[in-house]
Amino acid sequence: MAIQSPSLVPLQSLQAPKDVSLSEIEAELAKIWQSYSAASDDGTTLSATRAATFTLVVYEPEETQQLLAALRFYTGPIDGIGGPRTEAAIRAAQANLGMRLDGKASPALLEKLREAVAKQKGAIATDTGNGSSSYALDAAGAGIADAIATQNPCRIISLFPVAGDDEGVTAQVSAYCPINKRSRNSLVCGEYIMLKGTERALERVATMVSSLVMGELPSILWWKATPSTDQDLFDRLSKTCTAVAVDSSYFMTDPEGDLLKVAHLIQSQVQVSDLNWRRLAAWQELTAEAFDAPERRAAIREVDRVVIDYEKGNSTQALMFLGWLASRLGWEPVSRSKEDDIYELQRIHLTAADGREIEAELAAIPTGDTGEVTGDLVSLKLTSTNLDADCCTVLCSETTGCMRMEAGGGAQTCRINQVTPLDDQKAETLLGEQLQRLGQDVLFEESLAITAKILAIAV
Protein backbone atom coordinates (compact mmCIF):
# COMPACT_ATOMS: atom_id res chain seq x y z
CA MET A 1 0.00 0.00 0.00
CA ALA A 2 1.48 3.33 -1.05
CA ILE A 3 1.73 6.06 1.55
CA GLN A 4 -0.12 9.31 1.19
CA SER A 5 1.61 12.46 0.10
CA PRO A 6 3.50 14.02 3.00
CA SER A 7 2.35 17.53 2.12
CA LEU A 8 1.00 19.82 4.79
CA VAL A 9 0.93 17.40 7.71
CA PRO A 10 1.65 19.29 10.96
CA LEU A 11 4.55 17.95 12.99
CA GLN A 12 4.49 18.75 16.70
CA SER A 13 7.75 18.94 18.60
CA LEU A 14 7.76 17.40 22.08
CA GLN A 15 11.49 17.80 22.53
CA ALA A 16 13.87 19.73 20.29
CA PRO A 17 17.31 18.11 19.85
CA LYS A 18 18.95 17.99 23.29
CA ASP A 19 22.58 17.13 24.05
CA VAL A 20 22.95 14.13 26.34
CA SER A 21 25.67 11.70 27.34
CA LEU A 22 25.63 8.23 25.84
CA SER A 23 24.60 6.71 29.16
CA GLU A 24 21.62 9.07 29.46
CA ILE A 25 19.94 8.37 26.11
CA GLU A 26 17.27 5.93 27.27
CA ALA A 27 16.62 7.86 30.51
CA GLU A 28 16.12 11.16 28.65
CA LEU A 29 13.70 9.57 26.21
CA ALA A 30 11.78 7.99 29.09
CA LYS A 31 11.39 11.43 30.70
CA ILE A 32 9.74 12.77 27.54
CA TRP A 33 7.07 10.10 27.51
CA GLN A 34 6.50 10.41 31.25
CA SER A 35 5.90 14.15 30.81
CA TYR A 36 3.22 13.52 28.16
CA SER A 37 1.71 10.36 29.59
CA ALA A 38 -1.77 11.78 30.25
CA ALA A 39 -4.16 14.05 28.34
CA SER A 40 -5.62 17.09 30.07
CA ASP A 41 -9.01 16.70 31.79
CA ASP A 42 -10.64 19.34 29.59
CA GLY A 43 -9.44 17.65 26.40
CA THR A 44 -7.41 20.64 25.21
CA THR A 45 -4.17 18.66 25.08
CA LEU A 46 -3.37 15.13 23.99
CA SER A 47 -1.07 12.64 25.60
CA ALA A 48 1.88 11.33 23.60
CA THR A 49 3.36 7.84 23.39
CA ARG A 50 6.38 6.45 21.59
CA ALA A 51 5.62 4.43 18.50
CA ALA A 52 6.33 0.78 19.26
CA THR A 53 6.61 -0.12 15.57
CA PHE A 54 10.19 -0.57 14.38
CA THR A 55 13.65 0.95 14.58
CA LEU A 56 15.24 2.75 11.64
CA VAL A 57 19.02 3.11 11.81
CA VAL A 58 20.28 5.75 9.37
CA TYR A 59 23.93 6.01 8.39
CA GLU A 60 24.35 9.49 6.89
CA PRO A 61 27.83 10.53 5.70
CA GLU A 62 26.43 13.71 4.11
CA GLU A 63 26.66 16.67 6.49
CA THR A 64 24.35 19.27 4.90
CA GLN A 65 21.60 18.86 7.49
CA GLN A 66 24.06 19.18 10.38
CA LEU A 67 25.56 22.39 8.97
CA LEU A 68 22.09 23.86 8.32
CA ALA A 69 21.21 23.15 11.95
CA ALA A 70 24.43 24.72 13.22
CA LEU A 71 23.55 27.90 11.30
CA ARG A 72 19.91 27.82 12.47
CA PHE A 73 18.45 27.41 9.02
CA TYR A 74 17.03 24.08 10.17
CA THR A 75 15.61 23.15 13.57
CA GLY A 76 13.94 19.80 12.90
CA PRO A 77 15.33 16.43 13.94
CA ILE A 78 18.89 15.94 12.71
CA ASP A 79 18.25 12.48 11.35
CA GLY A 80 19.74 12.33 7.86
CA ILE A 81 16.24 12.14 6.37
CA GLY A 82 15.57 14.79 3.77
CA GLY A 83 12.19 16.16 2.76
CA PRO A 84 10.24 19.43 2.65
CA ARG A 85 11.71 20.80 5.90
CA THR A 86 15.29 20.15 4.81
CA GLU A 87 14.65 21.45 1.30
CA ALA A 88 13.11 24.64 2.69
CA ALA A 89 16.12 25.10 4.97
CA ILE A 90 18.46 24.64 2.00
CA ARG A 91 16.54 27.29 0.05
CA ALA A 92 16.79 29.68 2.99
CA ALA A 93 20.53 29.07 3.19
CA GLN A 94 20.93 29.50 -0.57
CA ALA A 95 19.08 32.81 -0.43
CA ASN A 96 21.29 33.92 2.43
CA LEU A 97 24.45 32.89 0.58
CA GLY A 98 23.46 34.38 -2.78
CA MET A 99 23.13 31.02 -4.53
CA ARG A 100 20.57 29.69 -7.00
CA LEU A 101 17.42 28.57 -5.16
CA ASP A 102 16.87 24.92 -6.07
CA GLY A 103 16.58 23.30 -2.64
CA LYS A 104 19.26 20.74 -3.48
CA ALA A 105 22.42 19.89 -1.59
CA SER A 106 25.58 20.29 -3.65
CA PRO A 107 29.37 20.40 -3.14
CA ALA A 108 29.25 24.18 -3.66
CA LEU A 109 26.61 24.60 -0.95
CA LEU A 110 28.52 22.34 1.43
CA GLU A 111 31.66 24.41 0.97
CA LYS A 112 29.84 27.66 1.71
CA LEU A 113 28.08 26.18 4.74
CA ARG A 114 31.38 24.88 6.13
CA GLU A 115 32.93 28.32 5.67
CA ALA A 116 30.01 29.96 7.46
CA VAL A 117 30.20 27.53 10.39
CA ALA A 118 33.96 28.00 10.66
CA LYS A 119 33.61 31.77 10.60
CA GLN A 120 31.00 31.81 13.35
CA LYS A 121 32.75 29.08 15.35
CA GLY A 122 29.44 27.50 16.18
CA ALA A 123 27.68 30.75 17.09
CA ILE A 124 24.03 31.07 16.00
CA ALA A 125 23.56 33.29 12.97
CA THR A 126 21.15 36.15 13.59
CA ASP A 127 21.69 38.45 10.61
CA THR A 128 21.11 37.49 6.99
CA GLY A 129 22.26 40.83 5.70
CA ASN A 130 18.74 42.00 4.93
CA GLY A 131 17.43 42.49 8.45
CA SER A 132 15.50 39.20 8.68
CA SER A 133 16.21 36.12 10.74
CA SER A 134 18.57 33.67 9.06
CA TYR A 135 16.22 30.88 10.11
CA ALA A 136 12.67 31.48 8.89
CA LEU A 137 10.99 28.52 10.62
CA ASP A 138 11.99 26.16 7.82
CA ALA A 139 10.35 28.58 5.38
CA ALA A 140 7.77 26.74 3.26
CA GLY A 141 8.56 23.52 5.10
CA ALA A 142 7.39 24.79 8.48
CA GLY A 143 5.21 22.22 10.18
CA ILE A 144 5.47 19.76 7.30
CA ALA A 145 6.39 16.25 8.32
CA ASP A 146 8.59 14.27 5.99
CA ALA A 147 7.53 11.06 4.29
CA ILE A 148 8.98 8.65 6.81
CA ALA A 149 7.98 10.49 9.98
CA THR A 150 4.48 11.27 8.70
CA GLN A 151 3.44 7.74 7.87
CA ASN A 152 5.88 5.69 9.91
CA PRO A 153 6.59 7.14 13.38
CA CYS A 154 9.26 4.95 14.93
CA ARG A 155 12.58 5.12 16.74
CA ILE A 156 15.21 6.61 14.44
CA ILE A 157 18.89 6.24 15.31
CA SER A 158 21.03 8.45 13.07
CA LEU A 159 24.77 7.93 12.74
CA PHE A 160 26.83 10.83 11.41
CA PRO A 161 30.50 10.08 10.66
CA VAL A 162 32.69 13.19 10.70
CA ALA A 163 36.26 13.94 9.70
CA GLY A 164 38.90 15.26 12.04
CA ASP A 165 40.29 14.20 15.40
CA ASP A 166 38.64 11.38 17.32
CA GLU A 167 36.97 13.14 20.23
CA GLY A 168 34.48 10.41 21.05
CA VAL A 169 30.79 10.30 20.19
CA THR A 170 28.28 13.03 20.97
CA ALA A 171 24.56 12.32 21.31
CA GLN A 172 21.27 14.19 21.02
CA VAL A 173 17.71 13.04 21.61
CA SER A 174 14.46 14.56 20.38
CA ALA A 175 10.80 13.65 19.81
CA TYR A 176 8.32 14.76 17.12
CA CYS A 177 4.70 13.79 16.51
CA PRO A 178 2.77 13.88 13.21
CA ILE A 179 -0.71 14.87 14.39
CA ASN A 180 -2.38 12.64 11.81
CA LYS A 181 -1.10 9.68 13.82
CA ARG A 182 -3.15 9.32 16.96
CA SER A 183 -4.80 6.63 19.03
CA ARG A 184 -7.91 8.11 20.69
CA ASN A 185 -6.56 11.04 22.73
CA SER A 186 -2.93 10.06 22.34
CA LEU A 187 -0.42 11.11 19.66
CA VAL A 188 1.80 8.35 18.34
CA CYS A 189 5.24 9.89 18.08
CA GLY A 190 8.68 9.21 16.71
CA GLU A 191 11.79 9.49 18.83
CA TYR A 192 15.18 10.42 17.47
CA ILE A 193 18.66 9.56 18.64
CA MET A 194 21.57 11.28 16.91
CA LEU A 195 25.14 10.01 17.32
CA LYS A 196 28.06 11.88 15.81
CA GLY A 197 31.76 11.09 15.78
CA THR A 198 34.57 9.84 13.59
CA GLU A 199 34.13 6.51 11.86
CA ARG A 200 36.43 4.90 14.39
CA ALA A 201 34.53 6.41 17.31
CA LEU A 202 31.19 5.21 15.92
CA GLU A 203 32.62 1.72 15.48
CA ARG A 204 33.53 1.69 19.18
CA VAL A 205 29.90 2.26 20.15
CA ALA A 206 28.42 -0.16 17.61
CA THR A 207 27.44 -2.54 20.40
CA MET A 208 25.59 0.29 22.17
CA VAL A 209 23.79 1.19 18.93
CA SER A 210 22.63 -2.41 18.67
CA SER A 211 21.31 -2.20 22.23
CA LEU A 212 19.23 0.88 21.32
CA VAL A 213 17.29 -1.12 18.71
CA MET A 214 13.82 -1.70 20.15
CA GLY A 215 13.40 -5.24 21.45
CA GLU A 216 11.81 -7.84 19.19
CA LEU A 217 10.44 -5.26 16.74
CA PRO A 218 11.70 -5.11 13.14
CA SER A 219 14.77 -2.98 12.55
CA ILE A 220 15.95 -1.48 9.25
CA LEU A 221 19.42 -0.17 8.50
CA TRP A 222 19.33 2.57 5.88
CA TRP A 223 22.94 2.75 4.70
CA LYS A 224 23.35 5.92 2.64
CA ALA A 225 26.80 4.98 1.35
CA THR A 226 28.54 2.04 -0.27
CA PRO A 227 27.74 -1.07 1.78
CA SER A 228 30.79 -3.14 2.67
CA THR A 229 31.29 -5.96 5.14
CA ASP A 230 34.92 -4.83 5.33
CA GLN A 231 33.65 -1.85 7.33
CA ASP A 232 33.18 -3.03 10.92
CA LEU A 233 30.27 -0.69 11.64
CA PHE A 234 28.29 -1.83 8.61
CA ASP A 235 29.10 -5.48 9.19
CA ARG A 236 27.87 -5.38 12.79
CA LEU A 237 24.71 -3.37 12.07
CA SER A 238 23.74 -5.40 8.98
CA LYS A 239 23.82 -8.50 11.17
CA THR A 240 21.87 -6.81 13.95
CA CYS A 241 19.06 -5.36 11.83
CA THR A 242 16.22 -7.24 10.16
CA ALA A 243 16.90 -5.69 6.75
CA VAL A 244 19.26 -3.29 4.99
CA ALA A 245 18.06 -0.54 2.63
CA VAL A 246 20.40 1.06 0.11
CA ASP A 247 19.96 3.36 -2.87
CA SER A 248 22.24 2.42 -5.75
CA SER A 249 21.72 5.86 -7.31
CA TYR A 250 24.21 6.98 -4.62
CA PHE A 251 26.87 4.65 -6.10
CA MET A 252 28.80 7.28 -8.01
CA THR A 253 32.48 6.31 -7.78
CA ASP A 254 32.17 2.63 -8.73
CA PRO A 255 28.52 1.84 -9.53
CA GLU A 256 29.22 -1.62 -10.90
CA GLY A 257 31.49 -2.69 -8.05
CA ASP A 258 29.08 -1.37 -5.43
CA LEU A 259 26.09 -3.10 -7.05
CA LEU A 260 28.07 -6.34 -7.01
CA LYS A 261 28.62 -5.85 -3.27
CA VAL A 262 24.84 -5.65 -2.78
CA ALA A 263 24.45 -8.92 -4.67
CA HIS A 264 27.09 -10.56 -2.48
CA LEU A 265 25.25 -9.36 0.64
CA ILE A 266 22.08 -11.07 -0.57
CA GLN A 267 24.06 -14.23 -1.28
CA SER A 268 25.26 -14.14 2.34
CA GLN A 269 21.61 -14.18 3.53
CA VAL A 270 21.32 -10.45 4.35
CA GLN A 271 17.87 -9.12 3.41
CA VAL A 272 18.53 -6.10 1.19
CA SER A 273 16.24 -3.69 -0.64
CA ASP A 274 17.50 -1.18 -3.22
CA LEU A 275 15.34 1.94 -3.48
CA ASN A 276 16.65 2.45 -7.01
CA TRP A 277 15.02 -0.85 -8.01
CA ARG A 278 11.63 0.66 -7.15
CA ARG A 279 12.23 3.41 -9.74
CA LEU A 280 12.21 0.75 -12.46
CA ALA A 281 8.64 -0.37 -11.74
CA ALA A 282 6.98 1.65 -14.52
CA TRP A 283 9.52 0.42 -17.10
CA GLN A 284 8.99 -3.19 -16.04
CA GLU A 285 5.20 -2.89 -16.10
CA LEU A 286 5.07 -1.31 -19.58
CA THR A 287 7.55 -3.83 -20.96
CA ALA A 288 5.38 -6.70 -19.73
CA GLU A 289 2.21 -4.94 -20.92
CA ALA A 290 3.63 -4.63 -24.46
CA PHE A 291 3.44 -8.41 -24.76
CA ASP A 292 0.13 -8.97 -22.97
CA ALA A 293 -1.91 -9.19 -26.20
CA PRO A 294 -2.49 -12.83 -27.17
CA GLU A 295 -1.02 -12.30 -30.65
CA ARG A 296 2.23 -10.95 -29.13
CA ARG A 297 2.82 -13.33 -26.24
CA ALA A 298 4.93 -15.71 -28.27
CA ALA A 299 6.83 -12.80 -29.87
CA ILE A 300 8.68 -12.00 -26.64
CA ARG A 301 10.65 -15.20 -27.23
CA GLU A 302 11.90 -13.77 -30.52
CA VAL A 303 13.63 -10.77 -28.90
CA ASP A 304 17.38 -11.03 -29.38
CA ARG A 305 18.43 -7.37 -29.52
CA VAL A 306 18.14 -5.05 -26.52
CA VAL A 307 19.24 -1.41 -26.39
CA ILE A 308 19.04 0.51 -23.12
CA ASP A 309 19.90 4.21 -22.81
CA TYR A 310 20.35 5.81 -19.40
CA GLU A 311 21.44 9.18 -18.07
CA LYS A 312 25.21 9.29 -17.86
CA GLY A 313 26.71 9.07 -14.39
CA ASN A 314 25.34 5.84 -12.93
CA SER A 315 24.68 2.55 -14.74
CA THR A 316 22.89 0.68 -11.93
CA GLN A 317 19.32 1.14 -13.21
CA ALA A 318 20.26 -0.07 -16.69
CA LEU A 319 22.12 -3.09 -15.32
CA MET A 320 19.28 -4.04 -12.97
CA PHE A 321 16.71 -3.71 -15.75
CA LEU A 322 18.74 -5.99 -18.00
CA GLY A 323 19.09 -8.43 -15.09
CA TRP A 324 15.31 -8.38 -14.63
CA LEU A 325 14.63 -8.96 -18.34
CA ALA A 326 17.16 -11.79 -18.53
CA SER A 327 15.84 -13.47 -15.38
CA ARG A 328 12.26 -13.43 -16.73
CA LEU A 329 13.25 -14.79 -20.16
CA GLY A 330 15.80 -17.34 -18.99
CA TRP A 331 18.85 -15.67 -20.55
CA GLU A 332 22.34 -16.41 -19.24
CA PRO A 333 25.20 -13.89 -19.73
CA VAL A 334 28.30 -15.24 -21.51
CA SER A 335 30.46 -12.24 -22.44
CA ARG A 336 30.76 -8.48 -22.00
CA SER A 337 32.78 -5.72 -23.65
CA LYS A 338 33.15 -1.97 -23.13
CA GLU A 339 34.07 0.92 -25.39
CA ASP A 340 35.89 3.99 -24.16
CA ASP A 341 33.73 6.60 -25.85
CA ILE A 342 31.36 9.38 -24.86
CA TYR A 343 28.50 6.88 -24.46
CA GLU A 344 30.52 4.39 -22.38
CA LEU A 345 28.99 1.62 -24.50
CA GLN A 346 28.69 -1.84 -23.03
CA ARG A 347 27.77 -4.88 -25.09
CA ILE A 348 26.58 -7.94 -23.23
CA HIS A 349 26.02 -11.26 -24.99
CA LEU A 350 23.62 -13.77 -23.49
CA THR A 351 22.14 -17.11 -24.52
CA ALA A 352 18.56 -18.33 -24.21
CA ALA A 353 17.57 -21.82 -23.08
CA ASP A 354 17.02 -22.82 -26.73
CA GLY A 355 20.53 -21.70 -27.69
CA ARG A 356 19.56 -18.38 -29.31
CA GLU A 357 22.13 -15.62 -28.98
CA ILE A 358 21.04 -12.27 -27.54
CA GLU A 359 22.97 -9.01 -27.71
CA ALA A 360 22.29 -6.15 -25.30
CA GLU A 361 23.75 -2.67 -25.62
CA LEU A 362 23.87 -0.20 -22.73
CA ALA A 363 24.64 3.45 -23.48
CA ALA A 364 25.22 6.40 -21.15
CA ILE A 365 23.53 9.48 -22.60
CA PRO A 366 25.00 12.88 -21.62
CA THR A 367 22.28 15.20 -20.28
CA GLY A 368 22.33 18.81 -19.17
CA ASP A 369 20.35 18.25 -15.98
CA THR A 370 20.26 14.85 -14.27
CA GLY A 371 17.28 15.80 -12.13
CA GLU A 372 16.62 14.15 -8.79
CA VAL A 373 18.29 10.84 -9.65
CA THR A 374 21.50 10.18 -11.56
CA GLY A 375 21.29 7.31 -14.01
CA ASP A 376 17.54 7.24 -14.73
CA LEU A 377 16.54 5.20 -17.77
CA VAL A 378 16.06 7.30 -20.89
CA SER A 379 14.78 4.75 -23.42
CA LEU A 380 14.57 1.07 -24.24
CA LYS A 381 14.30 -0.85 -27.50
CA LEU A 382 13.55 -4.55 -27.95
CA THR A 383 13.90 -6.01 -31.46
CA SER A 384 14.69 -9.25 -33.26
CA THR A 385 16.93 -10.36 -36.09
CA ASN A 386 13.89 -12.33 -37.25
CA LEU A 387 12.19 -9.69 -39.36
CA ASP A 388 8.91 -11.62 -39.33
CA ALA A 389 8.66 -11.40 -35.53
CA ASP A 390 6.20 -8.85 -34.17
CA CYS A 391 8.27 -7.90 -31.11
CA CYS A 392 9.77 -4.46 -31.79
CA THR A 393 9.00 -2.39 -28.71
CA VAL A 394 10.26 1.07 -27.80
CA LEU A 395 9.77 2.74 -24.42
CA CYS A 396 10.74 6.37 -23.89
CA SER A 397 11.02 8.51 -20.81
CA GLU A 398 8.25 11.09 -20.69
CA THR A 399 10.79 13.74 -19.71
CA THR A 400 13.75 13.01 -22.02
CA GLY A 401 12.18 11.35 -25.06
CA CYS A 402 13.36 8.56 -27.30
CA MET A 403 16.71 10.08 -28.27
CA ARG A 404 18.30 7.65 -30.74
CA MET A 405 15.54 5.03 -30.35
CA GLU A 406 13.25 6.75 -32.86
CA ALA A 407 14.73 4.83 -35.77
CA GLY A 408 12.33 2.26 -37.18
CA GLY A 409 12.66 -1.47 -36.76
CA GLY A 410 13.33 -2.32 -40.42
CA ALA A 411 10.50 -4.49 -41.70
CA GLN A 412 9.05 -4.61 -38.20
CA THR A 413 6.50 -2.16 -36.88
CA CYS A 414 7.63 -0.83 -33.49
CA ARG A 415 5.17 -0.25 -30.70
CA ILE A 416 6.14 2.97 -28.95
CA ASN A 417 5.02 4.02 -25.49
CA GLN A 418 6.00 6.71 -23.02
CA VAL A 419 6.97 5.88 -19.46
CA THR A 420 5.59 8.15 -16.76
CA PRO A 421 8.06 8.24 -13.87
CA LEU A 422 7.01 7.88 -10.27
CA ASP A 423 5.42 11.02 -8.84
CA ASP A 424 8.18 11.21 -6.24
CA GLN A 425 11.45 9.37 -6.81
CA LYS A 426 13.17 10.72 -3.72
CA ALA A 427 14.81 8.11 -1.54
CA GLU A 428 12.89 9.20 1.56
CA THR A 429 9.53 8.68 -0.14
CA LEU A 430 10.53 5.32 -1.58
CA LEU A 431 11.81 4.17 1.81
CA GLY A 432 8.55 5.30 3.40
CA GLU A 433 6.69 3.09 0.93
CA GLN A 434 9.11 0.23 1.52
CA LEU A 435 8.47 0.37 5.25
CA GLN A 436 4.81 -0.37 4.56
CA ARG A 437 5.68 -3.78 3.14
CA LEU A 438 8.69 -5.21 4.86
CA GLY A 439 9.74 -8.60 3.60
CA GLN A 440 11.86 -10.45 1.10
CA ASP A 441 11.65 -9.29 -2.54
CA VAL A 442 12.26 -12.49 -4.50
CA LEU A 443 11.95 -10.78 -7.90
CA PHE A 444 14.63 -8.25 -6.97
CA GLU A 445 16.93 -10.97 -5.68
CA GLU A 446 16.53 -13.15 -8.78
CA SER A 447 17.10 -10.18 -11.08
CA LEU A 448 20.16 -8.96 -9.19
CA ALA A 449 21.62 -12.48 -9.27
CA ILE A 450 21.69 -12.26 -13.10
CA THR A 451 23.08 -8.71 -12.92
CA ALA A 452 25.85 -10.02 -10.67
CA LYS A 453 26.72 -12.68 -13.26
CA ILE A 454 27.01 -9.93 -15.88
CA LEU A 455 29.25 -7.85 -13.63
CA ALA A 456 31.43 -10.83 -12.78
CA ILE A 457 32.45 -11.19 -16.44
CA ALA A 458 35.91 -9.73 -16.99
CA VAL A 459 36.14 -6.95 -19.58
Side-chain angles (χ1 to χ4, degrees):
M1 179 178 67
I3 65 170
Q4 300 172 358
S5 170
S7 60
L8 300 177
V9 178
L11 187 68
Q12 180 172 332
S13 172
L14 296 186
Q15 171 66 61
K18 178 182 179 181
D19 294 330
V20 299
S21 67
L22 297 181
S23 61
E24 296 173 331
I25 291 174
E26 291 285 14
E28 285 294 330
L29 289 171
K31 287 180 184 178
I32 297 172
W33 308 121
Q34 289 169 3
S35 301
Y36 292 91
S37 60
S40 62
D41 294 336
D42 60 8
T44 57
T45 60
L46 298 173
S47 65
T49 59
R50 63 162 48 119
T53 51
F54 60 91
T55 303
L56 176 63
V57 183
V58 182
Y59 177 86
E60 173 57 281
E62 216 277 326
E63 59 183 315
T64 298
Q65 198 179 59
Q66 301 174 60
L67 296 171
L68 291 168
L71 295 167
R72 293 298 303 276
F73 290 110
Y74 175 81
T75 62
I78 304 173
D79 52 13
I81 299 173
R85 293 173 64 91
T86 304
E87 290 176 17
I90 289 175
R91 289 180 183 277
Q94 289 170 331
N96 177 262
L97 297 168
M99 302 178 68
R100 184 166 69 93
L101 306 183
D102 60 9
K104 298 179 182 179
S106 66
L109 175 64
L110 272 174
E111 182 178 353
K112 287 184 176 292
L113 291 175
R114 289 181 186 130
E115 290 174 356
V117 169
K119 180 183 292 187
Q120 296 181 15
K121 296 181 180 179
I124 296 175
T126 57
D127 182 9
T128 65
N130 58 11
S132 61
S133 171
S134 64
Y135 169 69
L137 298 177
D138 291 344
I144 299 178
D146 296 333
I148 295 174
T150 300
Q151 299 298 325
N152 306 280
C154 59
R155 170 173 284 191
I156 297 178
I157 304 170
S158 301
L159 310 175
F160 292 91
V162 297
D165 297 332
D166 186 347
E167 299 178 351
V169 176
T170 60
Q172 287 183 342
V173 296
S174 56
Y176 292 81
C177 310
I179 67 168
N180 65 330
K181 291 292 182 180
R182 65 175 67 188
S183 176
R184 294 184 180 178
N185 291 328
S186 178
L187 290 171
V188 181
C189 308
E191 55 186 10
Y192 301 78
I193 302 167
M194 186 201 79
L195 302 174
K196 184 166 64 173
T198 62
E199 192 71 46
R200 185 174 180 181
L202 289 173
E203 287 177 355
R204 288 200 304 270
V205 301
T207 301
M208 186 204 72
V209 175
S210 298
S211 71
L212 292 172
V213 173
M214 297 179 68
E216 300 300 319
L217 297 172
S219 53
I220 299 89
L221 171 63
W222 185 16
W223 193 262
K224 299 172 72 174
T226 300
S228 175
T229 53
D230 294 334
Q231 191 173 356
D232 290 343
L233 183 62
F234 175 80
D235 186 48
R236 182 184 294 269
L237 292 176
S238 64
K239 293 175 180 176
T240 298
C241 293
T242 309
V244 176
V246 299
D247 185 345
S248 59
S249 72
Y250 294 166
F251 300 169
M252 303 301 292
T253 303
D254 182 17
E256 293 185 3
D258 294 345
L259 196 59
L260 195 55
K261 289 178 181 178
V262 174
H264 289 162
L265 279 175
I266 294 173
Q267 292 172 2
S268 63
Q269 306 304 309
V270 175
Q271 183 178 314
V272 182
S273 62
D274 183 353
L275 304 179
N276 210 22
W277 166 260
R278 176 72 183 90
R279 299 185 180 105
L280 292 174
W283 292 86
Q284 294 165 338
E285 291 167 4
L286 281 180
T287 301
E289 184 181 295
F291 296 92
D292 272 350
E295 65 273 15
R296 280 199 113 206
R297 287 175 187 168
I300 185 67
R301 298 295 173 183
E302 296 291 337
V303 171
D304 58 17
R305 294 294 181 269
V306 179
V307 181
I308 302 173
D309 287 354
Y310 62 94
E311 291 184 356
K312 190 170 185 175
N314 189 312
S315 59
T316 54
Q317 278 194 27
L319 287 163
M320 286 192 293
F321 185 89
L322 180 59
W324 168 77
L325 190 64
S327 71
R328 298 306 91 193
L329 297 177
W331 299 345
E332 284 291 326
V334 293
S335 67
R336 179 167 69 126
S337 63
K338 291 184 176 181
E339 296 182 15
D340 186 17
D341 65 358
I342 188 173
Y343 295 111
E344 300 173 2
L345 283 175
Q346 289 195 54
R347 288 189 172 86
I348 297 106
H349 291 88
L350 310 97
T351 57
D354 60 4
R356 289 184 309 111
E357 296 183 356
I358 296 96
E359 181 180 277
E361 177 186 288
L362 275 58
I365 305 300
T367 56
D369 184 2
T370 59
E372 293 288 346
V373 178
T374 302
D376 270 341
L377 292 194
V378 170
S379 52
L380 161 73
K381 189 172 186 177
L382 306 177
T383 57
S384 175
T385 52
N386 176 7
L387 299 183
D388 294 327
D390 180 20
C391 66
C392 186
T393 301
V394 175
L395 300 183
C396 309
S397 168
E398 196 175 60
T399 55
T400 55
C402 277
M403 305 290 287
R404 63 196 183 100
M405 299 295 183
E406 294 176 353
Q412 304 175 62
T413 299
C414 291
R415 302 198 181 191
I416 301 176
N417 207 341
Q418 285 191 321
V419 179
T420 303
L422 297 174
D423 290 338
D424 191 343
Q425 298 198 72
K426 293 177 183 175
E428 287 76 15
T429 302
L430 297 178
L431 181 60
E433 294 175 350
Q434 184 69 33
L435 294 173
Q436 301 276 333
R437 49 177 185 272
L438 294 174
Q440 186 178 14
D441 187 339
V442 176
L443 181 59
F444 167 63
E445 293 180 358
E446 291 177 352
S447 301
L448 194 60
I450 299 297
T451 301
K453 289 183 179 181
I454 295 171
L455 296 175
I457 298 172
V459 291

